[in-house]
Each structure stands twice: as C-alpha cells, then as structure tokens.
Amino acid sequence: MISVFGSANMDLVAYVEAAPGLGETVTGREFRTIPGGKGANQAIAAARAGAEVVFLGAVGDDAFGPELRRTLAGAGVDVSGLRTVPGPSGIAQIVVDGQGGNSIIVVPGANGAVTAPTEAELEVIARSDVLLLQLELPIEAVTAAARAARAAGTTVILTPAPVQPLPDELLDAVDILVANEHEAAAITGLAGHEDAARELRTRVGWVIITLGSRGALTAAPGAGPAVRVRAPEVRAVDTTAAGDTFVGALAAAHVERQSPDRAVRFAGAAAALSVQREGASTSMPSRAEIDRSLARSDA
C-alpha cells in the first residue's frame, strides 16, 4: 500500500500561445479548472498505475473541496482520511504555452492547515509500504511524517518541490529522492547533473534526477555511478504534472519490487504518456497504457 501525505489543489489553467511577461496582457485560447496538487496528482498516478493508495491531506469547505475529493475517489484512491477544514481549498494558477511549457503559482489554502500528521494518519503511514511526500504542505508536517515512516520501516519517497532548504532531519529520513534538474541544482548548489546526484547520494540511498524529454539520471542503491535512462520520444502538449506522474508510477513499481532500472523506465513511460494530454490528473495513464508503451520499447 502507498500512502500520500500531501497537497490537493484545484488547478486554474489558462492555455496561451506565449506566456505573458511582466506587465503584459495576452489573449488565451482556453481556460479549464482541473483537480491537481502535487500530492493528489501523485496519488492518482500511483492508483492508475495499479497500486493501492491512501491519500492524507486537507481540502477546504468551499465548492472545490468536494470536487477534489470526488476526483481522488473516482481514480480509486482511498479518501477516508482526507480532512475538510474551514476556508478555501488550495489552488494553483497555471499558464501553459504553445510548446507545452508551464509556469505555476500555488496558493496553499487548506493545505497550509496541515501542520502535523494526526494519530490516525501516523497509523496509516506505519501500515504502508511506501510514503510519498512533497513540499506543498508545511515543512514541519512533512518532516514529522517522514520521521514516523522511517521509524516504522516504511519507504519514504520525497519530491523536493516547490524547492526550499531541506532540514537535515527530513533528508535523513528519505530513502528515495526524486528531483528535477532545477531542484537538484538548487538543493546542492551544483549545476552538473552527475555532480548533484553524487552529492545527494551521500545523504540518500537512491537518487533520481528527472531531465524532461532527456530522460532521467538514476543512482540506485548498491550501484556504481549514476546512469542515464532515456525517455520515449513524444510530442509534448502539456508538461503539467509530468513529474508527479513519474513519481506516482515509480512508487507503484517499487511496491511491486521491480528492479530500479525497470522502475525508472516504467515511470518514464508513464510521464511520457501524460505530456501528450492536457491537464494534470486528467493526463495520467492507466496501467494498461504504461504496459503497452513499455512493450513497444522492449520489442
């Protein structure tokens, strides 16, 4: 079982040909509201990849809260532990340009109310095989959840986004760190992917640095130097939540005890499928789609 202790946001997405600069107004071609949030995205990605998933977090008592809850449940995620708190749900304002790139502003809302895991949440974490964490909840809550998981023998996978300084007590509780190249550089102060992976490997057993269309750099436990795993070649329509899709699929593969190399390829195939569709949770592939993609690449 995978537990996800993380954020749920409603994504307010504007599609434009070119993103506006400071002080500039542009006309968009489409606007959509799409359930998202890094935690919810990873939970949905893991469930669609075939895993049993429990989501732990909070939504507000506004109109977005029930919709976020329904979306998670509709994807097969257990939401019995999802809190409802007074006030607005978290939102993310997203601009997607004509090349599929995006820029995002997150307003935490109800996510900011999760300052510590509850006793019931700690019990779920202790029963889990894997705990997925991100940094859209208060850092003290994320750290407490990671430490509880480590004490219970639950594998901790952290996505250090939005990027910020990582407390030693959090990093020391992480088993698998999945960062994109910008996050890895910000955390280590090193621009080179291999250098950043080598530095992070001194603290974490398994480090994966995602490189978008160029695949991922992985330094697995007991392996030698970091190696590059290539990504499938696709035309990106919208890269929103590609990283979350990667992490959710990776967690599902890890629970199945796939080898590190196979798990990264499985996650990369899921992410490549997601960027060919618009939206966050709406873009994530099913297990059958991921398996078919891998079968084609293996042929």
Side-chain angles (χ1 to χ4, degrees), residues 1-3 45-46 49-52 128-132 150 153-158 174-178 204-208 218-221 245-268 287:
M1 181 181 76
I2 297 169
S3 57
E52 177 187 358
S128 301
D129 300 294
V130 169
L131 171 65
L132 287 183
R150 170 56 65 93
T154 299
T155 297
V156 177
I157 303 178
L158 173 66
V174 172
D175 297 289
I176 305 172
L177 182 75
V178 185
V204 177
W206 185 3
V207 174
I208 301 169
T218 174
T245 302
F246 183 100
V247 174
L250 180 82
H254 186 72
V255 168
E256 295 174 5
R257 301 185 185 280
Q258 294 187 26
S259 70
D261 177 70
R262 182 71 177 181
V264 173
R265 291 186 60 236
F266 182 88
R287 176 57 179 261

Side-chain angles (χ1 to χ4, degrees), residues 6-8 55-60 68 81-85 89-90 110-111 113-114 137:
S7 57
F55 184 75
L56 307 172
V59 295
L68 291 167
L82 177 58
R83 314 181 202 177
T84 297
V85 300
S89 299
N111 300 304
V114 184
L137 297 183

Side-chain angles (χ1 to χ4, degrees), residues 135 139-140 142-144 147 158 164-174 187 203:
L135 301 180
I139 193 72
E140 61 269 21
V142 174
T143 301
R147 294 182 64 187
L158 173 66
Q164 58 183 283
L166 300 180
D168 287 342
E169 57 184 335
L170 170 57
L171 201 53
D172 289 344
V174 172
I187 293 168
R203 302 293 304 277

Side-chain angles (χ1 to χ4, degrees), residues 99-295:
Q99 287 69 52
N102 63 72
S103 57
I104 304 173
I105 299 172
V106 175
V107 181
N111 300 304
V114 184
T115 56
T118 66
E119 288 301 319
E121 290 167 344
L122 291 173
E123 291 176 5
V124 172
I125 290 169
R127 296 198 306 270
S128 301
D129 300 294
V130 169
L131 171 65
L132 287 183
L133 296 170
Q134 322 78 36
L135 301 180
E136 287 184 343
L137 297 183
I139 193 72
E140 61 269 21
V142 174
T143 301
R147 294 182 64 187
R150 170 56 65 93
T154 299
T155 297
V156 177
I157 303 178
L158 173 66
T159 304
V163 69
Q164 58 183 283
L166 300 180
D168 287 342
E169 57 184 335
L170 170 57
L171 201 53
D172 289 344
V174 172
D175 297 289
I176 305 172
L177 182 75
V178 185
N180 66 29
E181 53 192 312
H182 308 295
E183 292 155 0
I187 293 168
T188 63
L190 300 170
H193 309 140
E194 290 83 1
D195 291 339
R198 190 178 304 110
E199 173 65 22
L200 290 168
R201 185 75 179 281
T202 65
R203 302 293 304 277
V204 177
W206 185 3
V207 174
I208 301 169
I209 299 178
T210 58
L211 305 171
S213 63
R214 291 167 291 141
L217 194 69
T218 174
V227 297
R228 178 78 61 88
V229 178
R230 297 181 63 182
E233 293 185 11
V234 299
R235 180 184 178 276
V237 172
D238 183 354
T239 59
T240 306
D244 295 330
T245 302
F246 183 100
V247 174
L250 180 82
H254 186 72
V255 168
E256 295 174 5
R257 301 185 185 280
Q258 294 187 26
S259 70
D261 177 70
R262 182 71 177 181
V264 173
R265 291 186 60 236
F266 182 88
L273 288 165
S274 77
V275 302
Q276 298 175 69
R277 305 165 181 165
E278 293 183 344
S281 60
T282 52
S283 71
M284 295 169 177
S286 68
R287 176 57 179 261
E289 290 175 312
I290 301 170
D291 286 342
R292 284 196 297 270
S293 176
L294 281 175

